[in-house]
Amino acid sequence: MPFVRIDWFPGRTLEQKRELVATLTPQIARIADCKPETIQFIFTDVTREDWGRNGKLFCDFYEYENDPK
Amino acid sequence: MPFVRIDWFPGRTLEQKRELVATLTPQIARIADCKPETIQFIFTDVTREDWGRNGKLFCDFYEYENDPK
Amino acid sequence: MPFVRIDWFPGRTLEQKRELVATLTPQIARIADCKPETIQFIFTDVTREDWGRNGKLFCDFYEYENDPK
Amino acid sequence: MPFVRIDWFPGRTLEQKRELVATLTPQIARIADCKPETIQFIFTDVTREDWGRNGKLFCDFYEYENDPK
Amino acid sequence: MPFVRIDWFPGRTLEQKRELVATLTPQIARIADCKPETIQFIFTDVTREDWGRNGKLFCDFYEYENDPK
Amino acid sequence: MPFVRIDWFPGRTLEQKRELVATLTPQIARIADCKPETIQFIFTDVTREDWGRNGKLFCDFYEYENDPK
């Protein structure tokens, strides 16, 4: 019954989400030894204005170029 | 102190949310033996593009008619 | 596809959880207009040492008798 | 590794979020005895139509003036 | 910055969690186009007494043998 | 109505949690401009066997000494 929640920065396409669910589900089923139909995913976008680390919001944190997604 | 979070597909009306909170609160209070004023609800919409099961996103999964809400 | 999460103080019995799931599922299905088999519940115990309000932990907050559950 | 999630009513400004992350991070680092760079924050807006207590939604609950934020 | 949370039934070994994190991280990094070091995982066990579907708790739901994990 | 959830490694004492709630609540009330009695906290312990980053579980990640909490 794995229920997978992924919080991330906005910007991933429908195709990326499709590929993630299609790719990760069989891996989780194999490794966690469960049936693919019991595995669910929820993706949640969190903007850089709403996510912070080390005392700063990511919208400020990444004023320079190496902006991890 | 039950804190209830409900994730679901978008589309429920304000009236449906009102009825749910009004209907479920006394039931939870009775069964869980607690005071209604300590029971909170948060509803979160998750689109079918952001929710998947069995290796597919629900926006793809339910291209046919039996589309559970 | 309602996914229901309930955080509450520890102490509810298996019977209470059975009754809650059996009672709330048809209500949610009726009001939210969805199929019962798509409704899931997760219960999570949170002790009064790990839950606080108004600047105090509930284990301190309720040193007197009117201890809501 | 504290990961802090704050759900609240919409309406806080970018400045308020900046000040919260900047103010709370060193406090958490000091009290929880961990490194600031390991502390993350996620803010999530929940409207009064999606948040309820004591059998009512907050959008109804606060038709009068004392509207806590 | 993908933050991955997996709720599942108890019983997975440390080895299974190691393999999952080691296997899924590079896949997520590739597909979601982000750096592996920004990807975090949290696993949470939820017992069958605390997880229900279709009006029943899984501890009751699976009295017979085909017990998905 | 800020609802604050903090996931962290196990090991914080009751005193640390008391101090955190007592210290952060007035700060959040001031900055977020809300009433202290509307602010709740939930602390959740997540072991290093259940939390990973960059493809490794923290129980492995920190075999050496600089073990952030």
Side-chain angles (χ1 to χ4, degrees):
Chain A
M1 288 305 293
F3 199 102
V4 183
R5 291 169 180 272
I6 301 184
D7 293 325
W8 55 10
F9 289 146
R12 272 68 183 209
T13 64
L14 191 55
E15 272 321 306
Q16 285 177 298
K17 292 178 214 177
R18 281 191 179 115
E19 188 182 352
L20 268 171
V21 171
T23 305
L24 301 188
T25 295
Q27 306 267 15
I28 294 172
R30 177 177 63 80
I31 299 169
D33 183 18
C34 62
K35 297 178 181 173
E37 62 266 29
T38 68
I39 301 170
Q40 293 201 36
F41 281 82
I42 282 187
F43 298 103
T44 304
D45 284 351
V46 180
T47 68
R48 289 172 174 76
E49 287 71 24
D50 282 321
W51 198 330
R53 189 171 69 83
N54 200 7
K56 286 170 67 175
L57 294 175
F58 277 109
C59 60
D60 301 326
F61 205 81
Y62 287 101
E63 70 284 2
Y64 41 81
E65 81 311 333
N66 61 345
D67 166 12
K69 289 180 191 123
Chain B
M1 288 306 294
F3 199 102
V4 183
R5 292 169 178 272
I6 301 183
D7 292 324
W8 55 10
F9 289 146
R12 271 67 183 208
T13 64
L14 191 56
E15 272 320 306
Q16 284 176 299
K17 293 178 214 176
R18 279 189 180 117
E19 189 182 351
L20 268 172
V21 171
T23 304
L24 301 189
T25 296
Q27 306 267 15
I28 295 172
R30 176 178 62 80
I31 298 169
D33 183 19
C34 62
K35 298 179 181 173
E37 62 267 30
T38 68
I39 302 170
Q40 294 200 34
F41 280 82
I42 282 187
F43 297 102
T44 304
D45 285 351
V46 180
T47 68
R48 290 173 175 75
E49 286 72 24
D50 282 322
W51 199 330
R53 189 171 70 84
N54 200 8
K56 285 171 65 174
L57 294 176
F58 277 109
C59 60
D60 301 326
F61 204 80
Y62 286 102
E63 71 284 5
Y64 41 81
E65 82 309 332
N66 60 343
D67 166 13
K69 292 184 190 115
Chain C
M1 290 306 291
F3 199 102
V4 184
R5 291 169 179 272
I6 300 183
D7 293 325
W8 55 9
F9 288 145
R12 271 69 183 205
T13 65
L14 190 56
E15 272 320 306
Q16 285 176 297
K17 293 177 214 175
R18 281 191 179 113
E19 189 181 352
L20 269 171
V21 171
T23 304
L24 302 188
T25 296
Q27 306 267 16
I28 295 172
R30 177 179 62 78
I31 299 168
D33 183 19
C34 63
K35 297 177 181 172
E37 62 267 30
T38 68
I39 301 170
Q40 293 201 36
F41 281 81
I42 282 187
F43 298 102
T44 304
D45 286 351
V46 180
T47 68
R48 290 173 174 75
E49 287 72 24
D50 282 324
W51 198 331
R53 189 171 69 84
N54 199 8
K56 284 171 67 174
L57 295 176
F58 277 109
C59 60
D60 301 327
F61 205 81
Y62 285 103
E63 71 284 7
Y64 41 83
E65 85 307 335
N66 62 344
D67 166 13
K69 292 184 189 118
Chain D
M1 290 304 293
F3 199 102
V4 183
R5 292 170 179 272
I6 300 183
D7 292 325
W8 55 11
F9 289 147
R12 272 65 183 210
T13 65
L14 190 56
E15 272 319 305
Q16 285 176 297
K17 293 177 214 176
R18 281 190 179 116
E19 188 182 352
L20 267 172
V21 170
T23 304
L24 301 189
T25 295
Q27 306 267 15
I28 294 172
R30 176 179 63 80
I31 298 168
D33 182 18
C34 63
K35 297 178 181 173
E37 61 267 28
T38 68
I39 301 169
Q40 293 201 36
F41 281 82
I42 282 187
F43 298 102
T44 304
D45 285 352
V46 179
T47 68
R48 289 173 175 76
E49 287 72 26
D50 281 323
W51 198 331
R53 190 171 70 84
N54 199 8
K56 285 171 67 176
L57 295 175
F58 278 109
C59 60
D60 301 328
F61 204 82
Y62 287 100
E63 72 285 3
Y64 41 82
E65 85 306 333
N66 61 342
D67 165 13
K69 291 186 191 116
Chain E
M1 290 303 291
F3 199 102
V4 183
R5 291 170 179 272
I6 301 182
D7 293 325
W8 56 7
F9 288 146
R12 271 69 183 205
T13 64
L14 191 54
E15 274 318 307
Q16 285 176 297
K17 293 177 212 175
R18 281 191 179 116
E19 189 181 353
L20 268 172
V21 170
T23 305
L24 302 188
T25 296
Q27 306 268 14
I28 295 172
R30 176 178 63 79
I31 299 168
D33 183 17
C34 62
K35 296 177 182 174
E37 62 266 30
T38 68
I39 301 169
Q40 292 200 36
F41 281 80
I42 282 187
F43 298 102
T44 304
D45 285 351
V46 180
T47 68
R48 289 173 175 74
E49 286 72 24
D50 282 324
W51 199 331
R53 189 171 70 84
N54 199 7
K56 285 171 67 175
L57 295 176
F58 277 110
C59 60
D60 301 325
F61 205 82
Y62 285 104
E63 69 287 5
Y64 40 85
E65 83 310 332
N66 61 342
D67 166 11
K69 292 182 188 125
Chain F
M1 291 305 292
F3 199 102
V4 184
R5 293 170 177 270
I6 300 184
D7 293 325
W8 55 10
F9 289 146
R12 272 68 183 209
T13 64
L14 190 56
E15 273 319 306
Q16 285 175 298
K17 293 178 214 175
R18 281 190 179 116
E19 189 182 351
L20 269 173
V21 171
T23 304
L24 302 188
T25 296
Q27 307 267 15
I28 294 172
R30 177 179 62 80
I31 299 167
D33 183 18
C34 63
K35 296 178 181 173
E37 62 267 30
T38 68
I39 301 169
Q40 293 201 36
F41 280 81
I42 282 187
F43 298 102
T44 304
D45 286 350
V46 179
T47 69
R48 290 173 175 74
E49 288 72 23
D50 283 323
W51 198 331
R53 190 170 70 84
N54 200 7
K56 284 171 68 175
L57 294 175
F58 278 109
C59 60
D60 301 326
F61 206 80
Y62 286 101
E63 69 286 4
Y64 41 84
E65 84 309 333
N66 62 344
D67 164 14
K69 293 183 190 119

